[in-house]
Amino acid sequence: SSEVRVTWMDIEDSTAQYHIYRHTEPIESEAALGKAKLLGTVKAGVQQFLDVLDTPGHYYYGVFSVLASQEYRVFMVDQSYAANPLIFSLKSPDLYVANLKFFYNRILRSVFLRWNDPDSKDVFDILLYRSLTPLEALDKVTNREPLAVVAKGEESYQDSSIAPGNSYHYALIIKRKFSPSLE
């Protein structure tokens, strides 16, 4: 998956909320907005929204103010909607770390994890998860906060927040950093 951070400038009314939409065609009319997906609502003062994409494609975004439960649908290029698509592709194969090894150091009371990054030009982070129970399914891992985010090239992590007598299970997941391109 990849992330898109949609940003905008607040209108002058400090009570305004904002609806954020995504569509596969420009959101330049009521008809297009009617087909768009409402991604969420944010309160006044919040000027950004994070959208997580799992499917490659061309995406357009629109942001519309809401005052007293009334959505104001003003279609202004580059103010309320994006005229150019954000293009996301998943051309690269899945990436995996290799030679994962870990050991416990009694003196430092830490578990040390080491691995080799994939041989890839992709930009990525490695999300490191820890659990007291086996991590057998991906959805049991990815819906929680990671223990750490390790940048490409670091290839090791010291977990010093462990308690004696527990069993720990670790999972490392690569998260690519996509850079959207404008067409």
Side-chain angles (χ1 to χ4, degrees):
S1 65
S2 58
E3 298 173 344
V4 176
R5 188 173 305 278
V6 181
T7 61
W8 60 90
M9 302 232 1
D10 276 347
I11 61 173
E12 289 184 21
D13 191 316
S14 63
T15 65
Q17 294 183 314
Y18 299 91
H19 284 169
I20 298 87
Y21 291 89
R22 178 182 69 213
H23 196 18
T24 54
E25 55 189 70
I27 304 173
E28 58 192 4
S29 67
E30 291 279 345
L33 186 58
K35 296 177 191 172
K37 178 179 181 179
L38 176 61
L39 299 174
T41 303
V42 298
K43 61 185 178 184
V46 176
Q47 297 179 66
Q48 63 180 347
F49 182 86
L50 189 65
D51 183 23
V52 179
L53 292 168
D54 292 319
T55 307
H58 294 184
Y59 295 101
Y60 298 83
Y61 291 86
V63 178
F64 298 89
S65 60
V66 180
L67 294 165
S69 301
Q70 173 68 42
E71 183 177 80
Y72 288 84
R73 297 180 170 184
V74 178
F75 299 93
M76 298 180 69
V77 175
D78 296 332
Q79 287 190 37
S80 57
Y81 74 91
N84 295 315
L86 291 169
I87 304 163
F88 291 90
S89 61
L90 297 168
K91 296 176 185 168
S92 304
D94 287 342
L95 300 178
Y96 300 94
V97 300
N99 301 320
L100 175 62
K101 295 177 178 138
F102 53 94
F103 61 93
Y104 176 67
N105 183 306
R106 288 176 194 240
I107 297 168
L108 297 175
R109 293 187 181 176
S110 297
V111 172
F112 288 86
L113 294 96
R114 297 187 195 284
W115 61 87
N116 296 116
D117 281 349
D119 183 18
S120 171
K121 293 181 180 172
D122 288 1
V123 180
F124 60 82
D125 284 332
I126 295 179
L127 306 182
L128 177 64
Y129 294 90
R130 181 186 71 196
S131 174
L132 294 172
T133 58
L135 296 166
E136 297 168 347
L138 191 58
D139 61 343
K140 288 186 178 181
V141 174
T142 56
N143 62 4
R144 343 178 346 185
E145 283 293 311
L147 172 67
V149 178
V150 182
K152 177 180 180 179
E154 289 186 27
E155 299 186 325
S156 67
Y157 181 78
Q158 177 183 351
D159 183 5
S160 55
S161 61
I162 58 171
N166 287 329
S167 294
Y168 293 100
H169 304 265
Y170 294 90
L172 280 71
I173 297 177
I174 292 180
K175 181 175 183 184
R176 285 189 173 97
K177 293 182 177 181
F178 292 99
S179 48
S181 58
L182 294 175
E183 198 170 65

